[in-house]
Amino acid sequence: MKNNKNTIVYILLTVLGLSALSCTKDFTEVNTDPIGERSTEAHQLLAPALVNILSTNMSRNWSFNNQLMQVTVEINDSEGRVFRYDVRRTWADYTWNNWYVNITDLKDIYKISSQPESMNKSYQGISLIAQTWAYSLLTDTYGDVPYSEANNGKEGNMQPAFDQQKDIYADMFKKLEAANELLKEGTAIVATSDPVYKGDISKWRRFGNSLYLRLLLRASGKAEVRSTVTAKMKEMVDTNPANYPVMENNTHTAKILWNGTNSSTAVYSSPLMVGIRAVDFRSMPICDFFLGKLVAWEDPRVQPSLGTGGVPRFGIDRGADGYVGVPSGYSPGSGVVIQAHFNSDAESKFTLQTDPNTGIIMNCAEVSFILAEAAAKGWISGAAENYYYKGMADAINYWMPTYISSPTDARFTTYVNDANLKWDASLPLESSAMGSKSQMEMIHIQKYYAMFLVDFQQWFEYRRTGHPILPKGPGLANGGKMPARLNYPLVTQSTNPSSYKAAIAAQGPDDINTLVWWQKP
C-alpha cells in the first residue's frame, strides 16, 4: 500500500512539473526507454514548449477569459457559469499543470545552452524570455506561486516553497535584463526550431523588452516600486531606446502561425480547431459588449463587405436579429437566445477555427497602448494621442494588413472621425463617476480589442485598472465582483501542504476574491 501511495504522489507531482519523489536504481532501469534519446539539444525543446503553452493559453482564453471579459457568453441557466463569476475550484488545475510542465523544458533549454559543449547565448536569452512569459501568466493568475524552487524534481525537491509575487516580479525583471544583453550578440540558432520568429534573434530581443514594458506597467500601481518601475520605463523609451528595442510594427508581433487547415493531427494545428468541437464553437454567442461597440463604430473587422465570402474578418455570423450580441450576466430563466456567433469549420464559411493568425503571444498594438498610458500619466515623453492612434491602427493592421497600414492612412482617419474615437486631451486621466469618459477608458477600450484572443491579458488589465468599464448584469454571482485570481489547485494542498499553508498565510485566503500583490495599493 505504501508503494502504491508513493506512485500516485509521484504521478501527481510529475504532472505539476514541480517536484518528484526520489527514485531507486531499479525504478530508473525499468523505466528507461532503450530506443529513445538519453540526451537532447536546446533546439529540440523550444517549439514543443512554446506550442504547448500557447495552446493552453488559447484554450482558456476561449472558455474562461472571454466569458469573464464579455467577449462571449454561454446560453446556460445552470450553476458554475464563469460569465456570472461563479468560478468552480476545478478551473485552477489545467493552466497550473500545463504551464509548469512546459517550464521544465524552457529551463532545460537554458541549462543545455549554458554548457561549454553546447554554448549558445541566443537560446539562453530566448529561454529567459519564454520562462518569464510563462511565469508571469502563473503569478498573475494565482498570485504567490512556486518559482525559485519550482521544477526541481530531479534534484529531489518534493515541496517547493511559494515565492511572493513581488519577489517573482523582481526576478523576472532581472531575467529580461539578462536576456536583452544575451541577445545583443545575435548568435545564430536553428531557424526551424523557432516557430515564433524563424530564428530572427533581433525580433526575440524586441519581444523580451516589450514583455518587460508589460510587466513594469503591471507593477506600476504599487507605491513601493512605482518610482523604480516608471524610471525604468523612461530609460527604455526616452533615455536609452537603442539599448531596449521593442515591437514597432506587426512584423515584430510574437505569434505562432497555425497551418490554416482543419487537420487535427498536422503540425501546428490551431487549438481552436483541435480542442473545440465545431458545434461548440458556433453555438457560443458573442456578447453585446464586445460586438455592439464594433458594430456602432462600423469597425472594419466586423464589416461583411471587407471580409471573406461575406463573412467579417473576425469570422462572425449574423444571429436572428442580425449582428446583435447577447448581454452578459443575465439572470437564469431570462429566456435569452443565441444571436450573433463565430462561424465554425463545419459551416463551409470563413472561420477563426482554421485561421493561421490566432496564435498571438504578444502584439505590437499592446506595446503602443502601454506607451499611451505611460505618456498620459507623464512617465515618458511623447504624446499619448500618437501612441493611442498607433495602437488602434496596429490592432486593425494585424487582422487586415492591406486595409490599414498606419495611423496616417486616409481610411484610418475616416474611421476614427466617423466612429467618434478621436483622442480627447481635455478628459481627466480617470473619472470617479461610473461610465464617465476618461483618458484611461479611451486607451483601455481599444487595448481590450487589441488583446482579443491573447491568453488572460484582458482579465489581467481589468483587474489592474478597472477598464474597460463592463456592464453588470442582474444574474452575477460573487457579489457582482470580478474574480481577482484563481485558487490554487486542490492537488497542491495534499502534495505540498506546508508550502501551501505558508502561501495563504502570506497572501490571504485561497479564494477568487483575494487580491494579488500588484492589485493591492
Side-chain angles (χ1 to χ4, degrees), residues 201-265:
I201 303 305
S202 66
K203 291 181 180 178
W204 270 104
R205 192 177 174 205
R206 289 180 182 274
F207 170 37
N209 290 325
S210 300
L211 180 60
Y212 200 174
L213 286 176
R214 172 196 278 177
L215 300 180
L216 287 167
L217 182 63
R218 194 150 292 158
S220 65
K222 291 295 296 181
E224 64 193 274
V225 298
R226 183 179 298 120
S227 61
T228 302
V229 299
T230 55
K232 188 64 191 183
M233 294 181 76
K234 185 170 183 62
E235 177 190 352
M236 294 175 68
V237 178
D238 292 343
T239 309
N240 198 6
N243 192 49
Y244 293 97
V246 298
M247 296 178 186
E248 296 178 353
N249 56 61
N250 277 310
T251 68
H252 302 149
T253 286
K255 64 182 183 296
I256 293 177
L257 281 175
W258 306 120
N259 60 35
T261 73
N262 61 2
S263 170
S264 61
T265 58

Side-chain angles (χ1 to χ4, degrees), residues 24-204:
T24 66
K25 178 180 178 182
D26 290 340
F27 181 89
T28 302
E29 290 176 350
V30 169
N31 287 276
T32 297
D33 178 6
I35 300 174
E37 297 287 340
R38 295 180 64 86
S39 62
T40 189
E41 298 178 28
H43 70 87
Q44 296 173 302
L45 297 175
L46 183 60
L50 295 176
V51 168
N52 289 341
I53 293 172
L54 181 57
S55 297
T56 299
N57 297 352
M58 290 181 64
S59 173
R60 280 300 183 257
N61 168 271
W62 176 259
S63 60
F64 186 78
N65 175 89
N66 287 359
Q67 294 286 305
L68 285 179
M69 291 304 298
Q70 300 193 19
V71 177
T72 54
V73 55
E74 289 183 283
I75 303 297
N76 197 316
D77 287 343
S78 64
E79 296 181 349
R81 300 301 99 193
V82 173
F83 74 87
R84 292 196 183 98
Y85 304 166
D86 188 1
V87 179
R88 299 294 172 87
R89 298 185 70 85
T90 50
W91 277 100
D93 298 4
Y94 179 77
T95 45
W96 178 282
N97 293 352
N98 288 354
W99 288 336
Y100 269 120
V101 164
N102 288 285
I103 287 172
T104 300
D105 282 349
L106 296 177
K107 294 178 78 170
D108 283 345
I109 291 171
Y110 187 87
K111 293 176 184 177
I112 293 167
S113 60
S114 300
Q115 295 170 358
E117 66 274 15
S118 52
M119 180 72 66
N120 187 299
K121 290 187 177 181
S122 290
Y123 277 121
Q124 291 176 32
I126 291 170
S127 168
L128 293 177
I129 292 168
Q131 285 183 55
T132 300
W133 171 49
Y135 274 127
S136 67
L137 290 166
L138 274 160
T139 189
D140 290 346
T141 300
Y142 302 95
D144 298 352
V145 295
Y147 180 80
S148 58
E149 296 182 6
N151 302 80
N152 288 333
K154 294 177 183 177
E155 288 73 40
N157 187 348
M158 297 180 289
Q159 297 187 343
F162 285 55
D163 295 70
Q164 293 190 4
Q165 189 178 67
K166 65 178 181 180
D167 298 324
I168 296 172
Y169 261 70
D171 193 71
M172 291 193 298
F173 294 159
K174 291 179 182 178
K175 279 184 168 64
L176 294 175
E177 286 281 359
N180 186 47
E181 293 299 315
L182 288 164
L183 296 179
K184 280 183 179 179
E185 296 189 14
T187 307
I189 64 171
V190 179
T192 54
S193 75
D194 176 9
V196 180
Y197 292 123
K198 306 300 185 288
D200 191 329
I201 303 305
S202 66
K203 291 181 180 178
W204 270 104

Side-chain angles (χ1 to χ4, degrees), residues 148-400:
S148 58
E149 296 182 6
N151 302 80
N152 288 333
K154 294 177 183 177
E155 288 73 40
N157 187 348
M158 297 180 289
Q159 297 187 343
F162 285 55
D163 295 70
Q164 293 190 4
Q165 189 178 67
K166 65 178 181 180
D167 298 324
I168 296 172
Y169 261 70
D171 193 71
M172 291 193 298
F173 294 159
K174 291 179 182 178
K175 279 184 168 64
L176 294 175
E177 286 281 359
N180 186 47
E181 293 299 315
L182 288 164
L183 296 179
K184 280 183 179 179
E185 296 189 14
T187 307
I189 64 171
V190 179
T192 54
S193 75
D194 176 9
V196 180
Y197 292 123
K198 306 300 185 288
D200 191 329
I201 303 305
S202 66
K203 291 181 180 178
W204 270 104
R205 192 177 174 205
R206 289 180 182 274
F207 170 37
N209 290 325
S210 300
L211 180 60
Y212 200 174
L213 286 176
R214 172 196 278 177
L215 300 180
L216 287 167
L217 182 63
R218 194 150 292 158
S220 65
K222 291 295 296 181
E224 64 193 274
V225 298
R226 183 179 298 120
S227 61
T228 302
V229 299
T230 55
K232 188 64 191 183
M233 294 181 76
K234 185 170 183 62
E235 177 190 352
M236 294 175 68
V237 178
D238 292 343
T239 309
N240 198 6
N243 192 49
Y244 293 97
V246 298
M247 296 178 186
E248 296 178 353
N249 56 61
N250 277 310
T251 68
H252 302 149
T253 286
K255 64 182 183 296
I256 293 177
L257 281 175
W258 306 120
N259 60 35
T261 73
N262 61 2
S263 170
S264 61
T265 58
V267 176
Y268 299 135
S269 294
S270 170
L272 298 182
M273 181 67 235
V274 176
I276 305 173
R277 296 184 307 167
V279 65
D280 294 329
F281 198 82
R282 68 175 177 266
S283 62
M284 182 69 76
I286 301 172
C287 187
D288 62 350
F289 177 82
F290 178 85
L291 182 58
K293 294 181 186 299
L294 293 175
V295 170
W297 296 336
E298 297 185 359
D299 190 285
R301 291 164 289 190
V302 296
Q303 292 298 308
S305 61
L306 300 177
T308 302
V311 177
R313 183 62 188 88
F314 273 176
I316 298 171
D317 207 358
R318 294 175 176 87
D321 299 323
Y323 287 106
V324 176
V326 173
S328 187
Y330 62 85
S331 298
S334 300
V336 173
V337 297
I338 188 171
Q339 289 286 348
H341 55 276
F342 289 107
N343 284 323
S344 72
D345 177 63
E347 295 177 292
S348 300
K349 298 178 181 179
F350 172 74
T351 171
L352 292 179
Q353 274 198 293
T354 54
D355 191 312
N357 299 285
T358 57
I360 307 167
I361 296 173
M362 183 178 186
N363 59 42
C364 72
E366 181 185 346
V367 177
S368 295
F369 289 121
I370 289 170
L371 299 179
E373 180 177 340
K377 291 180 174 178
W379 298 339
I380 61 172
S381 62
E385 173 181 8
N386 294 339
Y387 292 124
Y388 166 77
Y389 288 138
K390 185 177 185 304
M392 292 175 65
D394 288 340
I396 297 173
N397 173 262
Y398 179 80
W399 295 101
M400 307 178 72

Side-chain angles (χ1 to χ4, degrees), residues 473-512:
L476 291 178
N478 198 43
K481 294 185 296 183
M482 173 68 74
R485 60 184 287 270
L486 283 181
N487 55 273
Y488 297 122
L490 293 174
V491 69
T492 303
Q493 300 180 35
S494 59
T495 60
N496 194 4
S498 298
S499 297
Y500 169 79
K501 292 175 182 177
I504 61 175
Q507 180 171 262
D510 185 18
D511 62 47
I512 62 173

